[in-house]
Amino acid sequence: GQQVMQIPQYQHVQEGEDFTTYCNSSTTLSNIQWYKQRPGGHPVFLIQLVKSGEVKKQKRLTFQFGEAKKNSSLHITATQTTDVGTYFCAVSTGGGNKLTFGTGTQLKVEL
Amino acid sequence: EPEVTQTPSHQVTQMGQEVILRCVPISNHLYFYWYRQILGQKVEFLVSFYNNEISEKSEIFDDQFSVERPDGSNFTLKIRSTKLEDSAMYFCASSLRTANTEAFFGQGTRLTVV
């Protein structure tokens, strides 16, 4: 089945530092979605990327889809304590829109 | 803002007992899903449901699991004979369309099997 790996597994940063998580697949992806899960919370949709090389921005968050559509990244500029949580990439497959989640990157932000 | 609601928020059950987890998807959505997340691990797909039937299920979704949409609003997950390893957070989700569309997740039901 579809496998999606994310690195790093954990990241501790000081508030104001940048953060990046990477998502990699061995197969070409039709799309990729990113979700954020706060501690004790549920996954919340952030964005979807569909086109090769696509870059989308949401305030301090920058999402990128690789040219070969096999990898993606999420970059947060100048992290804040509100950015704490686990960031998952997810791939939508099949006619039923099944989401295969990546392994996630847990971000902790220290003051 | 419309949201997916799940009940109960926490369920404790004895091994071997049956549990029913309930979900009310967003009203105009057509696709419904159950996912589970074992503590500290990634979110895993269980089943998708469309037009009153299962459209896809994972290898986790074996014969002890079933889903139902008993009326126009509720979507349920039944686990017939719970095992210790069924302890997890169960998330219901819904989406408006299929393919390349965001999924809206409920707050989850934490199932603890003792």
Side-chain angles (χ1 to χ4, degrees), chain B residues 89-113:
Chain B
M89 182 72 89
Y90 288 80
F91 291 108
C92 174
S94 69
S95 63
L96 181 59
R97 302 180 301 274
T98 187
N100 302 337
T101 186
E102 70 178 280
F104 291 80
F105 284 76
Q107 304 282 352
T109 293
R110 179 164 298 285
L111 176 66
T112 303
V113 182

Side-chain angles (χ1 to χ4, degrees), chain A residues 69-80:
Chain A
K69 298 181 75 173
K70 288 186 176 181
N71 56 72
S72 181
S73 64
L74 158 58
H75 179 82
I76 302 178
T77 304
T79 54
Q80 300 174 359

Side-chain angles (χ1 to χ4, degrees), chain B residues 11-113:
Chain B
Q11 174 93 49
V12 180
T13 189
Q14 290 210 328
M15 192 169 53
Q17 294 296 305
E18 174 182 287
V19 294
I20 297 176
L21 310 183
R22 292 183 165 79
C23 168
V24 178
I26 295 173
S27 62
N28 63 335
H29 284 188
L30 301 176
Y31 298 86
F32 315 116
Y33 316 86
W34 284 99
Y35 289 83
R36 80 171 187 190
Q37 185 177 35
I38 295 170
L39 187 63
Q41 297 186 22
K42 67 176 183 178
V43 179
E44 298 176 290
F45 170 79
L46 291 177
V47 66
S48 58
F49 192 86
Y50 169 70
N51 201 25
N52 285 319
E53 62 182 23
I54 291 174
S55 48
E56 190 170 359
K57 59 184 181 179
S58 72
E59 60 275 9
I60 302 170
F61 194 88
D62 61 21
D63 291 344
Q64 69 165 332
F65 291 93
S66 62
V67 289
E68 199 175 40
R69 191 159 156 82
D71 52 44
S73 58
N74 290 287
F75 179 49
T76 63
L77 173 69
K78 182 191 289 187
I79 308 175
R80 255 179 283 281
S81 178
T82 49
K83 304 171 191 162
L84 294 176
E85 54 264 37
D86 294 327
S87 295
M89 182 72 89
Y90 288 80
F91 291 108
C92 174
S94 69
S95 63
L96 181 59
R97 302 180 301 274
T98 187
N100 302 337
T101 186
E102 70 178 280
F104 291 80
F105 284 76
Q107 304 282 352
T109 293
R110 179 164 298 285
L111 176 66
T112 303
V113 182

Side-chain angles (χ1 to χ4, degrees), chain A residues 2 9 15 20 22 37 48 81 83 89-90:
Chain A
Q2 180 76 55
Q9 189 175 2
E15 190 177 42
T20 304
Y22 300 90
Q37 185 177 27
Q48 178 172 264
T81 54
D83 296 325
C89 60

Side-chain angles (χ1 to χ4, degrees), chain A residues 11 13 19 32 35 42 46 49-51 72 76 81 88:
Chain A
Q11 184 84 61
V13 299
F19 160 78
I32 196 154
Y35 289 79
H42 61 284
L46 295 175
L49 305 171
V50 178
K51 299 176 185 175
S72 181
I76 302 178
T81 54
F88 291 98

Side-chain angles (χ1 to χ4, degrees), chain A residues 1-4 24-30 65 68-71 91 93:
Chain A
Q2 180 76 55
Q3 296 275 355
V4 184
N24 296 291
S25 168
S26 58
T27 59
T28 302
L29 305 171
S30 60
F65 203 6
K69 298 181 75 173
K70 288 186 176 181
N71 56 72
V91 179
T93 58

Side-chain angles (χ1 to χ4, degrees), chain A:
Chain A
Q2 180 76 55
Q3 296 275 355
V4 184
M5 300 302 296
Q6 268 184 266
I7 54 171
Q9 189 175 2
Y10 304 99
Q11 184 84 61
H12 291 198
V13 299
Q14 296 286 323
E15 190 177 42
E17 292 181 339
D18 291 356
F19 160 78
T20 304
T21 173
Y22 300 90
C23 185
N24 296 291
S25 168
S26 58
T27 59
T28 302
L29 305 171
S30 60
N31 66 85
I32 196 154
Q33 300 181 10
W34 284 92
Y35 289 79
K36 177 184 178 180
Q37 185 177 27
R38 292 182 187 275
H42 61 284
V44 175
F45 175 83
L46 295 175
I47 208 143
Q48 178 172 264
L49 305 171
V50 178
K51 299 176 185 175
S52 167
E54 188 171 13
V55 177
K56 288 188 177 180
K57 293 191 175 185
Q58 289 179 351
K59 297 182 181 178
R60 295 179 295 104
L61 277 61
T62 301
F63 304 84
Q64 189 164 4
F65 203 6
E67 292 289 341
K69 298 181 75 173
K70 288 186 176 181
N71 56 72
S72 181
S73 64
L74 158 58
H75 179 82
I76 302 178
T77 304
T79 54
Q80 300 174 359
T81 54
T82 53
D83 296 325
V84 165
T86 300
Y87 292 84
F88 291 98
C89 60
V91 179
S92 169
T93 58
N97 198 35
K98 159 190 170 182
L99 286 174
T100 299
F101 280 79
T103 46
T105 296
Q106 184 179 353
L107 172 64
K108 292 191 176 179
V109 181
E110 298 169 355
L111 292 172

